[in-house]
Amino acid sequence: MPKCARPIWARAMPDAAAPPPEMLRVEGLEAWYGESHVLHGMSFAVEQGQVVTLLGRNGVGKTTTLRAVMGILPKRRGAVRFNGQELIHLPSNRIARAGIAYCPEERGIFASLSVEENLLLPPIVQPGGMSVDEIYAIFPNLSERRKSQGTKLSGGEQQMLAIGRILRTGARLLLLDEPTEGLAPVIVQQIGALIRTLKTKGFTILLVEQNFRFAATVADRHYVVEHGRVVDVIANDRLNDNIEKLQEYLGV
């Protein structure tokens, strides 16, 4: 009697869950400020739904990387692919419309506008962005101060406003530059909780950080940056095994 072949359903079942699709891939990225060559071949990837950090000391090119991905720098070369689309030759307004939003370290809150006016200022670039009411639900402090001028907020509230503002746009990849810089520990905890909430809602986040202890509470993976390029990559679940090496990289 011939052996029975494996049933079709069994043959079709994958051996393991497929990894999430890649949302952003940066390869050989170089960038300049005027004549100053800052990035020297940055290469890394971010999968959909992940939080990934760029770790490193001040001045190694982390912020420059976000600005180069966003197309803010006038001189850059290499590859920046978002959902398979090459962005390296596109201007920043078209990159934003593709679904990427940038929250700079300096926050960029407009002093003459109220909290609500600041929230409503950026255009919606894609469907699926959060409504103002949804943003207020995440940031109750902003709801209470919706009529206050932006610069009359505390540092933590200004950071919440800067992040909340880009959530309206419909962007699915968020570039966050040092969101905890200069904030009190209790506010840092709130920012961490926010990032974890955004991840559960399906956002993908590329985070620039110096504070690796904070990064460890939110990230899936860490890219270590030195002299304008990635020199190491550490999975978050291997962070404790690499703590001495990481402290050496960061000069802690």
Side-chain angles (χ1 to χ4, degrees):
M1 190 171 178
K3 262 189 177 179
C4 292
R6 289 178 71 202
I8 291 174
W9 63 264
R11 296 200 300 271
M13 287 181 66
D15 293 330
E22 198 171 80
M23 180 171 276
L24 178 71
R25 173 161 288 276
V26 173
E27 290 184 339
L29 182 61
E30 300 186 47
W32 289 258
Y33 286 109
E35 296 301 313
S36 180
H37 192 178
V38 181
L39 300 185
H40 300 271
M42 284 287 294
S43 297
F44 60 90
V46 183
E47 282 75 39
Q48 183 178 313
Q50 287 191 332
V51 178
V52 170
T53 63
L54 300 179
L55 292 175
R57 305 183 196 195
N58 282 333
V60 298
K62 305 186 305 295
T63 293
T64 302
T65 299
L66 298 191
R67 292 171 63 85
V69 167
M70 202 66 209
I72 296 171
L73 300 182
K75 187 177 179 183
R76 60 190 184 134
R77 70 184 180 206
V80 177
R81 288 189 289 275
F82 176 63
N83 288 332
Q85 177 188 4
E86 180 57 67
L87 306 180
I88 195 68
H89 299 300
L90 297 183
S92 58
N93 63 320
R94 289 195 51 196
I95 292 172
R97 290 192 181 97
I100 304 178
Y102 173 45
C103 184
E105 183 182 356
E106 59 272 16
R107 299 166 187 155
I109 304 302
F110 288 88
S112 60
L113 301 182
S114 69
V115 165
E116 191 149 304
E117 288 168 337
N118 268 281
L119 281 177
L120 293 171
L121 189 62
I124 294 173
V125 298
Q126 289 191 349
M130 290 188 183
S131 68
V132 171
D133 286 342
E134 287 174 315
I135 294 168
Y136 284 149
I138 293 175
F139 301 113
N141 290 28
L142 298 185
S143 179
E144 294 169 5
R145 307 204 61 184
R146 65 178 68 194
K147 301 301 181 186
S148 300
Q149 282 191 318
T151 51
K152 293 189 176 178
L153 305 179
S154 68
E157 289 168 335
Q158 287 191 31
Q159 186 63 71
M160 294 172 188
L161 177 56
I163 295 174
R165 190 169 53 185
I166 64 177
L167 297 179
R168 271 192 65 254
T169 65
R172 304 308 294 174
L173 174 61
L174 310 181
L175 312 181
L176 306 184
D177 192 358
E178 300 276 9
T180 66
E181 179 69 23
L183 300 183
V186 65
I187 305 300
V188 171
Q189 291 177 2
Q190 290 179 21
I191 297 297
L194 166 66
I195 291 173
R196 290 188 290 273
T197 296
L198 294 177
K199 182 180 177 182
T200 66
K201 291 180 178 294
F203 287 94
T204 304
I205 298 174
L206 178 59
L207 173 70
V208 160
E209 261 300 334
Q210 261 192 300
N211 182 351
F212 73 88
R213 298 191 187 282
F214 168 76
T217 67
V218 297
D220 297 286
R221 184 168 67 259
H222 312 276
Y223 289 100
V224 182
V225 181
E226 283 190 348
H227 309 298
R229 62 187 180 90
V230 170
V231 296
D232 207 347
V233 55
I234 303 172
N236 199 56
D237 59 6
R238 299 299 306 276
L239 203 58
N240 286 337
D241 297 336
N242 291 273
I243 203 74
E244 290 185 10
K245 182 169 64 171
L246 189 57
Q247 288 175 333
E248 186 176 337
Y249 281 135
L250 301 178
V252 177

